[in-house]
């Protein structure tokens, strides 16, 4: 790993993008180190020299994406929003705007959600749980439940919205990502949920 980190930023980015794209397109089992090496314009031996194994490279990419995603959210801006649905919309905009500039990360993440290889199952399970906890802490507040007709619906609705966001990402996997169209559709669905689950005085 030290040899990889010693490379120029431009070279590291090229290698990471090649790996993200290959794993994102083919999944863990079908993606090959040779494909990644060709896409990155380096030798196959160099990939092993930098990362040790295909599994170690995949785990590195998972951690790399996790750090990037956690860094794209403006927590102060989210904390200024007093409504759950507004925080979800704001956080989704932050995430999607970032993915517009980093399409290979979106492709890799949506592929990881669908990954079934037992070789990386344990790592994926841990990171999925950590991501869920991060999202909860980022968006959910104890007082959010008070606006719901049935307070116990707050958590299930939040999970529903997370699954909806994952669905949008999966739909655009490998295709042109129309940020505006996605957000408009997401906002329409949030308006429906707000109308059906919120008490009347909190509906917009």
């Amino acid at each position: 790993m030290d040899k990889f980190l010693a490379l120029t930023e431009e070279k590291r980015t090229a290698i990471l993008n090649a790996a993200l794209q290959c794993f994102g397109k083919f999944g863990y089992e079908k993606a090959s180190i040779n494909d990644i090496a060709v896409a990155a314009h380096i030798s196959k031996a160099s990939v092993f020299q930098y990362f040790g194994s295909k599994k170690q490279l995949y785990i590195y990419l998972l951690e790399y994406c996790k750090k990037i995603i956690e860094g794209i959210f403006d927590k102060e801006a989210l904390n200024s929003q007093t409504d759950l649905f507004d925080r979800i919309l704001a956080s989704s905009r932050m995430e999607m705007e970032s993915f517009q500039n980093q399409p290979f990360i979106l492709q890799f993440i949506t592929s990881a959600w669908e990954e079934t290889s037992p070789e990386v199952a344990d790592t994926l399970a841990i990171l999925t749980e950590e991501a869920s906890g991060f999202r909860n802490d980022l968006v959910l507040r104890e007082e959010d439940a008070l606006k719901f007709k049935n307070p116990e619906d707050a958590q299930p609705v939040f999970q529903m919205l997370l699954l909806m966001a994952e669905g949008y990402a999966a739909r655009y996997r490998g295709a042109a990502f129309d940020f505006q169209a996605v957000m408009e559709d997401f906002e329409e669905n949030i308006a429906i949920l707000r109308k059906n689950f919120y008490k009347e005085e909190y509906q917009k």
Side-chain angles (χ1 to χ4, degrees):
M1 189 60 67
D2 289 341
K3 291 183 178 179
F4 174 71
L5 296 176
L7 298 172
T8 64
E9 182 178 355
E10 182 180 3
K11 192 68 174 178
R12 290 198 308 272
T13 300
I15 294 170
L16 291 175
N17 282 342
L20 289 167
Q21 185 178 25
C22 286
F23 281 121
K25 183 177 181 179
F26 300 112
Y28 180 78
E29 295 287 354
K30 293 183 179 180
S32 71
I33 292 298
N34 186 64
D35 290 335
I36 294 168
V38 170
H41 304 293
I42 59 175
S43 69
K44 183 177 177 179
S46 293
V47 180
F48 285 113
Q49 186 179 43
Y50 296 146
F51 298 100
S53 69
K54 177 176 159 179
K55 181 179 179 178
Q56 287 176 304
L57 170 57
Y58 191 81
I59 291 173
Y60 182 86
L61 292 175
L62 289 171
E63 294 288 351
Y64 171 74
C65 291
K66 176 187 172 184
K67 289 179 181 177
I68 288 180
I69 291 172
E70 291 182 354
I72 66 178
F73 297 102
D74 184 340
K75 294 183 179 180
E76 185 176 345
L78 292 176
N79 287 334
S80 69
Q81 301 283 352
T82 60
D83 183 80
L84 169 63
F85 289 113
D86 289 340
R87 285 195 299 276
I88 290 172
L89 276 173
S91 65
S92 296
R93 287 192 187 98
M94 293 173 190
E95 195 166 17
M96 289 188 184
E97 285 173 357
S98 177
F99 286 153
Q100 278 190 302
N101 300 318
Q102 303 177 88
F104 295 141
I105 289 181
L106 175 61
Q107 187 179 38
F108 176 76
I109 291 171
T110 54
S111 173
W113 287 336
E114 301 168 359
E115 185 56 61
T116 58
S117 172
E119 193 170 348
V120 292
D122 290 346
T123 301
L124 284 169
I126 292 170
L127 287 176
T128 298
E129 185 175 350
E130 290 177 352
S132 178
F134 173 77
R135 272 290 194 178
N136 283 357
D137 294 340
L138 185 72
V139 177
L140 274 180
R141 305 289 182 269
E142 287 186 12
E143 60 271 21
D144 289 332
L146 299 176
K147 295 183 179 181
F148 283 74
K149 296 173 184 176
N150 297 306
E152 63 272 17
D153 287 338
Q155 182 67 37
V157 168
F158 176 66
Q159 295 302 323
M160 187 189 308
L161 287 165
L162 289 184
L163 289 172
M164 191 184 299
E166 290 178 7
Y168 283 123
R171 184 197 305 175
Y172 287 92
R173 179 182 172 189
F177 194 89
D178 189 336
F179 168 76
Q180 190 61 36
V182 170
M183 285 309 305
E184 287 177 0
D185 194 38
F186 194 42
E187 288 176 10
E188 288 178 6
N189 283 296
I190 281 183
I192 293 170
L193 291 173
R194 190 195 300 269
K195 181 178 180 180
N196 282 277
F197 285 96
Y198 263 10
K199 295 174 183 176
E200 188 173 352
E201 60 267 33
Y202 296 113
Q203 295 180 17
K204 293 184 179 180

